Amino acid sequence: MSTVTTYTGSIERQISHVGVRNWLFDALTLSSGAIDSISFLGLGKVFTAFMTGNVAFLGMGIAGNPAPRIVSVLASMVAFALGIYIATRISGEQKSGVIWSPRTTFTLGISLLAHLAFTAIWFANSGRPGASAFPILLAIWALAMGLQSGAVRKLHVEGIFTTAATGTLMVLAADAVNWRLTRDERRRARGVLISLMIGATAGAYLLFHAPIFAPVAAARDHGWGRGDGGEGPLVVRRAGSVK
């Protein structure tokens, strides 16, 4: 009986930790939605997380069509890639069954430093930076988004990127085929998409009505898990198939 009770308690704790992790995904996605909205509307129509759009802009610029400044687009793309690289080096290979590792938290902490640097420059310009500062600000925020994307990617949660909607929407649509078997996965994907939309709406609203506070709101939603490889609220071994 004791063994059964311990096993049941482990499963219940695991489900709780997965729920917390999913809320952290939503918070991170809300933040990235606000960031992309602010960067696109306030920094020369360039994204800092949605790299598909930037690649399209780059192609349009090379073809000679009206597009954002190529230097700004390249600054965002290169910084985002650098963020992914750094996050991947820091995160390493996640241990099997770890829901949220200490390295994920550490990587997000580094990305928060980039958010703080962006906010300092934004405040120094009273929320109205000149065009000459756009590439710098875009690079700083894209670096933060790359770090966030790389950290979340190493958690190996299918369809969850927190900085892009295409893959998540694909998973959500595909899961509809197995409606009864993929309820939890659909709920997770749905939460991320809704959070992205809410974040984008909030970012645009703040940029238009209270621009100086826009980056503060965008950077506030960084989730923190704690752990040291085997302990902490979000470092849990799989006792079953909970995901």
Side-chain angles (χ1 to χ4, degrees):
M1 181 66 70
S2 176
T3 302
V4 173
T5 302
T6 301
Y7 183 81
T8 302
S10 177
I11 290 292
E12 290 176 349
R13 286 194 300 273
Q14 185 179 8
I15 292 173
S16 174
H17 293 320
V18 169
V20 172
R21 182 199 63 187
N22 292 344
W23 277 109
L24 294 177
F25 284 158
D26 291 344
L28 290 171
T29 308
L30 191 150
S31 176
S32 64
I35 286 169
D36 247 354
S37 181
I38 294 167
S39 63
F40 183 80
L41 295 173
L43 297 176
K45 301 296 188 293
V46 178
F47 295 107
T48 50
F50 180 52
M51 290 298 121
T52 302
N54 284 345
V55 171
F57 291 152
L58 184 62
M60 287 186 283
I62 293 173
N65 294 305
R69 293 171 59 197
I70 290 182
V71 65
S72 293
V73 175
L74 288 175
S76 181
M77 292 176 62
V78 170
F80 185 87
L82 179 61
I84 293 286
Y85 176 82
I86 294 173
T88 303
R89 290 297 297 265
I90 293 173
S91 298
E93 289 301 321
Q94 299 285 1
K95 296 179 180 179
S96 176
V98 173
I99 293 175
W100 187 284
S101 77
R103 292 189 177 190
T104 300
T105 299
F106 181 69
T107 305
L108 291 176
I110 296 176
S111 75
L112 185 59
L113 295 177
H115 285 297
L116 293 175
F118 181 99
T119 302
I121 297 174
W122 186 271
F123 277 1
N125 289 274
S126 301
R128 301 290 184 183
S132 60
F134 286 1
I136 297 173
L137 290 169
L138 287 166
I140 293 173
W141 242 355
L143 177 66
M145 291 291 93
L147 286 164
Q148 176 181 315
S149 297
V152 171
R153 174 177 173 269
K154 297 300 289 187
L155 295 176
H156 302 296
V157 181
E158 184 181 2
I160 300 300
F161 303 99
T162 74
T163 54
T166 304
T168 304
L169 186 59
M170 287 172 59
V171 169
L172 185 62
D175 281 354
V177 175
N178 301 307
W179 187 261
R180 293 184 179 180
L181 302 177
T182 57
R183 181 183 61 184
D184 292 337
E185 193 169 76
R186 288 199 315 276
R187 183 187 299 118
R188 183 167 59 239
R190 186 169 59 244
V192 165
L193 290 175
I194 292 173
S195 296
L196 189 65
M197 182 180 66
I198 293 173
T201 303
Y205 183 86
L206 285 170
L207 185 66
F208 290 137
H209 298 282
I212 196 167
F213 296 113
V216 177
R220 77 186 186 280
D221 292 306
H222 270 255
W224 302 103
R226 179 173 61 84
D228 55 10
E231 298 177 355
L234 294 181
V235 180
V236 183
R237 302 287 176 190
R238 283 194 184 88
S241 59
V242 178
K243 247 186 128 177

